[in-house]
Amino acid sequence: MIHDDTIQLEGQRRGEAPVYGPEAFEGMRRAGRLTAEALDLLVEHVRPGVTTDFLDRLVFDFAMSHGAYPAPLLYRGYPKSICTSINHVVCHGIPNDKPLREGDVLNIDVTLIVDGWHGDSSRMFFVGEVPRRAARLCDITYEALMRGVAAVRPGGNTNDIGAAIQSYAESERCSVVRDFCGHGLGRVFHDAPTILHYVEPSYNVPLKPGMLFTIEPMINLGRPHVKVLSDGWTAVTRDRSLSAQFEHTVGVTETGVEIFTLSPKGYHKPPYHAAG
């Protein structure tokens, strides 16, 4: 969810990615499900005139009422419980009191800590009727995520994930953001391995059963370059093109991959009223 502004590949090369057992997978299922339920809760509330501050309070209250805690809150000084990234905001948008507008597309990124385990997921949301190009970008980004997830298998490697995402996004004339990446997690928010959403020959980690990590591609309609605003968090596209992101937390199994953050209500990508 929240990352350093630059990818620390050297540190990842030195560290081994943790491998977990069945107890951890049970913990991640609980954390992943509650995170997905929090995102499901927001579907009926995302509409024109609603503020992202209101959505943030909903998730905070939901977490508190379920014995969980929002991991971003005060993490490295981050002031809110969720990230809300609108239109050309790539990631780490900070909730505020500005109302959402008809036609906005919004990424909401939620990480909840349940019994010490982290569930991390994000989805795109439509605010009313959105332009066709925005809806198309969201479709492409969701498909890129799911192709990346499908590439996870024991005996494979992290570049399999990057290749699946990059080849599809670029075939649709979109670009993959390089500045942010997926990450290992479990009892800590960010851990090895780094999950790049593009191919990087100098960094290619073998995938082993028991690994836990996020896959969270950020896809732009324009060029891949981003900049971080003066608040130190909000990342935007340099060319002001639209950006979208979807994220799942997954675990490598003996036979493939398990997704911990699937929506219980079938709210996989917008428009969610059709899915629900």
Side-chain angles (χ1 to χ4, degrees):
M1 178 178 185
I2 295 176
H3 324 75
D4 294 328
D5 292 340
T6 56
I7 297 167
Q8 302 292 330
L9 292 185
E10 286 298 331
Q12 295 290 355
R13 287 195 187 99
R14 290 194 296 269
E16 281 288 319
V19 172
Y20 296 88
E23 181 182 348
F25 273 61
E26 281 298 324
M28 293 299 286
R29 289 181 191 115
R30 294 192 298 273
R33 182 178 176 89
L34 196 68
T35 298
E37 289 174 355
L39 286 164
D40 285 355
L41 168 73
L42 299 176
V43 167
E44 64 182 286
H45 297 285
V46 175
R47 57 183 182 270
V50 170
T51 69
T52 49
D53 258 344
F54 175 74
L55 301 176
D56 181 78
R57 287 195 300 273
L58 282 177
V59 173
F60 178 82
D61 290 343
F62 176 84
M64 292 296 103
S65 67
H66 288 81
Y69 188 82
L73 185 58
L74 303 182
Y75 179 81
R76 298 183 183 173
Y78 186 77
K80 297 290 183 174
S81 296
I82 63 175
C83 293
T84 51
S85 302
I86 303 169
N87 296 332
H88 71 289
V89 179
V90 176
C91 60
H92 305 163
I94 302 172
N96 58 33
D97 60 1
K98 182 179 178 181
L100 295 170
R101 299 183 298 176
E102 181 86 15
D104 285 340
V105 290
L106 167 68
N107 178 270
I108 302 178
D109 196 336
V110 175
T111 306
L112 297 184
I113 307 171
V114 180
D115 299 326
W117 298 99
H118 289 69
D120 190 355
S121 185
S122 81
R123 299 181 206 155
M124 298 301 296
F125 292 76
F126 293 168
V127 184
E129 295 294 322
V130 306
R132 175 66 196 123
R133 65 194 179 94
R136 174 179 172 269
L137 175 63
C138 291
D139 284 345
I140 291 167
T141 306
Y142 178 76
E143 177 67 17
L145 166 66
M146 297 312 293
R147 289 186 181 213
V149 170
V152 177
R153 64 190 184 282
N157 54 63
T158 54
N159 269 340
D160 296 339
I161 302 168
I165 292 168
Q166 182 180 10
S167 62
Y168 176 72
E170 292 179 353
S171 76
E172 295 291 336
R173 303 186 305 284
C174 294
S175 65
V176 179
V177 171
R178 265 56 168 186
D179 298 68
F180 301 96
C181 52
H183 53 89
L185 79 173
R187 289 195 174 275
V188 298
F189 198 168
H190 295 96
D191 205 344
T194 291
I195 302 297
L196 304 181
H197 305 117
Y198 57 94
V199 175
E200 174 49 67
S202 69
Y203 178 78
N204 197 22
V205 176
L207 299 177
K208 302 174 184 177
M211 283 185 172
L212 305 171
F213 50 81
T214 69
I215 304 175
E216 46 184 301
M218 286 147 266
I219 307 297
N220 296 347
L221 270 184
R223 296 177 64 80
H225 309 107
V226 309
K227 63 179 178 180
V228 177
L229 301 184
S230 59
D231 62 23
W233 289 102
T234 307
V236 301
T237 55
R238 285 188 175 273
D239 61 7
R240 303 280 295 186
S241 64
L242 287 176
S243 186
Q245 180 188 20
F246 285 89
E247 174 183 13
H248 275 313
T249 297
V250 305
V252 184
T253 69
E254 295 290 343
T255 56
V257 63
E258 179 176 351
I259 304 174
F260 299 118
T261 46
L262 287 173
S263 164
K265 292 189 174 181
Y267 294 148
H268 302 308
K269 65 175 184 174
Y272 295 116
H273 57 78

